[in-house]
């Protein structure tokens, strides 16, 4: 047996480690796009400061979509109940603020940690079964939390929602205002840090192992990758980020209702990923911009039928060719990044 293993190892060609490290750490999108994206995210506020509340919604949606992309685009875990973590973070931050603990950063982190704990407990349920089983499990967890929030209305406000949240200034310096100026930069800062962390995570050996698991879980296990541990790990990270998004939503709006746990919120975030693309980090962010802009414009033009036009757009995207336009958008970035890498000495 040992002789056979030695022969196989000898047959494997030597790997240029510096080149391999450079290839793995290369971002999925070119650097120029990242720089332009974040400059635009900051600059757009000075162009339309009166729409800061809309910009804040986009930043929170982008973070929520990023959390789902980590499990869907990189680990292949399909979820119909990702709103469970968003809602958990929202209610934790909201309940803390209503009861006099309105410090933004501690409430934000605690909301993310509670969501991560729920993700850890429920993560073991998604290790077995097919994609259909995972869909039902994730949806079931979300529905359970929705009913719990409705049942304990003395804490959550039930169907009436959670009112009376009062937030302290961010870092003790920046007060929340009615126009959403502080809220936008607060949410944008959290989004930037989460994107930076996700970028490093995906470029790490852990992130590359996730890609191998998504391509072929059985083959990845035969290569020695702890598939169950990796899947639960990324599920907990995604739950933490979704909890942060929910906490941001509750803190910046100073309100939380059963809507944060609804199936419609989970469906919307899947639609956002379809619009923006999966598997290159910025897909959820681009999709959030497209979705909120379309929603705002179409709501002004046809208040009663804006959902029809977004649904029609979704059908067109799915039907054009065998690949979604969003996937082609992601492939364009990937090809550009590879070309830039090949040009390096």
């Amino acid at each position: 047996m040992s002789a056979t293993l030695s022969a196989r190892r000898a047959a494997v060609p030597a790997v240029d480690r510096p080149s391999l490290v450079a290839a793995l750490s290369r971002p999925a999108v070119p650097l120029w796009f990242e720089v332009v994206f974040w400059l635009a995210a900051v600059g757009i506020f000075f162009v339309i400061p009166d729409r800061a509340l809309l910009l804040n919604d986009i930043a929170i949606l982008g973070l929520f979509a990023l959390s789902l992309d980590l499990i869907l685009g990189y680990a292949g875990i399909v979820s119909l109940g990702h709103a469970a973590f968003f809602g958990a973070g929202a209610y934790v931050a909201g309940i803390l603020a209503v009861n006099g603990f309105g410090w933004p950063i501690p409430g934000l982190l605690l909301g993310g940690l509670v969501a991560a704990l729920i993700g850890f407990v429920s993560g073991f349920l998604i290790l077995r079964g097919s994609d259909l089983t995972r869909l039902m499990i994730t949806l079931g967890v979300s529905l359970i939390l929705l009913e719990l929030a409705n049942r304990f209305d003395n804490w959550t406000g039930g169907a009436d929602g959670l009112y009376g949240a009062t937030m302290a200034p961010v870092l003790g310096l920046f007060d929340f205002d009615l126009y959403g100026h502080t809220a936008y930069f607060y949410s944008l800062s959290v989004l930037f840090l989460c994107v930076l962390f996700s970028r490093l995570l995906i470029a790490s050996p852990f992130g590359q192992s996730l890609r191998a698991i998504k391509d072929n879980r059985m083959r990845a296990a035969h290569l020695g990758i702890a598939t169950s541990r990796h899947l639960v790990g990324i599920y907990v990270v995604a739950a933490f980020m979704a909890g942060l998004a929910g906490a941001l939503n509750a803190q910046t709006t100073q309100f939380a209702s059963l809507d944060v746990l609804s199936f419609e919120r989970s469906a919307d975030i899947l639609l956002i990923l379809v619009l923006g693309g999966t598997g290159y980090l910025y897909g959820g962010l681009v999709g959030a911009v497209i979705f909120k802009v379309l929603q705002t414009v179409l709501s002004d033009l046809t208040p009663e039928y804006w959902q029809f036009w977004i649904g029609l757009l979704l059908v067109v995207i799915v039907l054009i060719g065998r690949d979604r336009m969003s996937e082609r958008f992601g492939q364009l970035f990937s090809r550009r990044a590879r070309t830039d890498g090949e040009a390096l000495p």
Side-chain angles (χ1 to χ4, degrees):
M1 178 66 69
S2 60
T4 304
L5 290 175
S6 299
R8 289 180 178 177
R9 289 171 182 170
V12 177
V15 177
D16 184 0
R17 290 186 178 274
S19 300
L20 179 60
V21 172
L24 295 182
S25 60
R26 190 176 302 135
V29 297
L31 182 60
W32 66 263
F33 175 82
E34 294 186 278
V35 173
V36 170
F37 181 89
W38 291 109
L39 287 178
V42 174
I44 192 66
F45 169 79
F46 299 99
V47 177
I48 48 173
D50 56 324
R51 306 307 296 269
L53 292 174
L54 173 63
L55 298 176
N56 180 61
D57 287 342
I58 292 175
I60 294 173
L61 269 181
L63 178 56
F64 190 24
L66 171 65
S67 68
L68 180 60
D69 193 22
L70 287 179
I71 61 173
L72 178 60
Y74 291 94
I77 301 174
V78 184
S79 174
L80 273 181
H82 207 57
F85 311 123
F86 184 91
Y91 272 117
V92 168
I95 291 172
L96 288 175
V98 167
N99 288 276
F101 192 80
W103 295 101
I105 304 300
L108 174 73
L109 294 177
L110 190 57
L113 289 175
V114 171
L117 179 61
I118 296 174
F120 178 75
V121 174
S122 61
F124 292 96
L125 301 176
I126 66 170
L127 298 178
R128 299 180 179 274
S130 61
D131 288 341
L132 180 60
T133 305
R134 293 174 181 172
L135 284 174
M136 294 300 102
I137 290 174
T138 54
L139 178 59
V141 171
S142 179
L143 293 177
I144 289 172
L145 291 181
L146 176 63
E147 290 305 317
L148 287 175
N150 189 37
R151 170 65 180 80
F152 295 99
D153 55 353
N154 55 327
W155 283 93
T156 64
D160 295 329
L162 191 64
Y163 292 93
T166 303
M167 300 305 302
V170 179
L171 300 176
L173 300 173
F174 307 101
D175 291 311
F176 286 96
D177 56 89
L178 295 176
Y179 306 101
H181 296 170
T182 299
Y184 174 59
F185 283 105
Y186 175 45
S187 299
L188 187 66
S189 299
V190 176
L191 174 61
F192 176 76
L193 292 176
C194 288
V195 170
L196 183 61
F197 171 78
S198 301
R199 193 175 185 271
L200 296 174
L201 180 69
I202 295 304
S204 69
F206 176 82
Q208 300 303 315
S209 298
L210 289 177
R211 294 179 183 271
I213 295 172
K214 179 185 177 183
D215 292 338
N216 192 315
R217 183 177 175 182
M218 186 175 296
R219 182 173 59 188
H222 288 164
L223 291 175
I225 298 175
T227 57
S228 297
R229 203 175 293 174
H230 280 67
L231 290 176
V232 172
I234 193 62
Y235 199 71
V236 171
V237 172
F240 176 74
M241 289 191 182
L244 293 182
L248 284 174
N249 186 74
Q251 290 178 342
T252 56
T253 62
Q254 300 183 16
F255 175 74
S257 67
L258 295 178
D259 176 68
V260 296
L261 289 165
S262 65
F263 169 76
E264 288 77 11
R265 191 170 293 270
S266 295
D268 283 347
I269 213 65
L270 278 173
L271 172 59
I272 286 172
L273 280 181
V274 171
L275 292 174
T278 61
Y280 68 102
L281 289 184
Y282 284 85
L285 279 61
V286 173
V289 174
I290 296 174
F291 179 79
K292 287 301 295 185
V293 170
L294 283 176
Q295 184 184 46
T296 303
V297 172
L298 293 176
S299 295
D300 292 339
L301 295 177
T302 56
E304 297 180 358
Y305 304 108
W306 67 269
Q307 290 180 321
F308 166 79
W309 295 109
I310 291 183
L312 180 62
L313 175 62
L314 176 63
V315 172
V316 171
I317 291 175
V318 173
L319 292 181
I320 291 181
R322 294 185 178 182
D323 298 327
R324 294 180 177 85
M325 292 170 59
S326 57
E327 292 176 356
R328 293 177 178 176
F329 191 54
Q331 292 168 3
L332 173 63
F333 283 138
S334 298
R335 286 197 298 268
R336 178 62 182 270
R338 287 196 299 269
T339 302
D340 294 343
E342 291 171 358
L344 293 174

